[in-house]
Amino acid sequence: MRHTFSFFLLMAVLLIAAGCAGNHELIKAAGIGTRQGVFQEISPDAAPMPGYADLRIYSSLKTHLPGAYTVKDIHGTAAFRIMVDIDGQTTELQGDPRRENSEARMARDPEAGDGMRYRFSKSIRIKAGTHRVLIVIPSDGIAQEQEITLTERSRNSLNLEPVYDATAGKKRIGSYGETSFKRGIRGFRMVLNG
């Protein structure tokens, strides 16, 4: 029985390490995205062009206040960024952090409480077709990849909905699955056109 537990513990450690290594490789690839000409930034009200599609990348997320855990923590500061790599060309999304102390809008609201709200947005023009999109938060070790298909002369929206980490502490009855921005971001749900 003891050997079985040790085997399962070793397998869990290896699976976690493999997942982290996979994210590390994605982050490394996004950091060296040196291609140009894949997309160009445009104003949000630009008219669509033949052969191209317009894409607005948007995210609204919340982090803890600056310095809540460590002095060198960039959460809650203007240095907190999201990197977007599309087919090898990389751009940064910069958010303007605003302090927000919100009441719970629903039971188990993951964004209730005092923290920093970011709104990220960038509009780009890209050739119509299928593209590989990589979303990275380097400071948190988050990297997620998804393919999207955009039709010619279309206006599209890619919403990056944050998935927050599970709350710590002893589980209570009915508290299964509770998440909070205070615990950090675990990833994103990438939603194309709603």
Side-chain angles (χ1 to χ4, degrees), residues 45-177:
D45 57 349
M49 290 178 53
Y52 291 88
D54 294 345
L55 178 66
R56 177 179 178 249
I57 304 166
Y58 176 80
S59 186
S60 175
L61 59 88
K62 199 167 179 180
T63 70
H64 57 265
L65 296 172
Y69 298 109
T70 65
V71 177
K72 294 183 179 181
D73 187 7
I74 65 167
H75 293 88
T77 70
F80 184 75
R81 305 256 195 298
I82 296 176
M83 291 177 58
V84 178
D85 182 283
I86 302 176
D87 298 338
Q89 183 176 340
T90 304
T91 187
E92 281 188 345
L93 303 182
Q94 297 178 7
D96 182 23
R98 307 275 173 147
R99 190 167 184 162
E100 176 184 278
N101 192 357
S102 57
E103 298 291 322
R105 295 176 305 232
M106 60 186 167
R108 299 185 213 157
D109 185 350
E111 293 189 337
D114 195 16
M116 298 299 277
R117 166 73 60 193
Y118 289 86
R119 284 187 173 77
F120 299 93
S121 182
K122 187 169 280 196
S123 294
I124 64 168
R125 177 161 289 150
I126 191 165
K127 285 189 177 181
T130 301
H131 302 280
R132 182 190 62 87
V133 179
L134 177 62
I135 306 298
V136 179
I137 301 180
S139 61
D140 292 2
I142 294 171
Q144 281 188 245
E145 189 172 26
Q146 182 172 314
E147 275 195 356
I148 61 171
T149 302
L150 307 173
T151 58
E152 184 177 359
R153 287 187 170 218
S154 62
R155 289 187 181 191
N156 304 276
S157 177
L158 181 61
N159 189 9
L160 311 176
E161 298 175 354
V163 177
Y164 298 109
D165 241 344
T167 55
K170 195 173 182 181
K171 297 291 181 194
R172 302 178 313 276
I173 294 175
S175 68
Y176 177 78

Side-chain angles (χ1 to χ4, degrees), residues 3-17:
H3 294 295
T4 304
F5 177 75
S6 297
F7 173 75
F8 284 118
L9 181 61
L10 176 63
M11 291 304 291
V13 168
L14 290 175
L15 286 173
I16 290 169

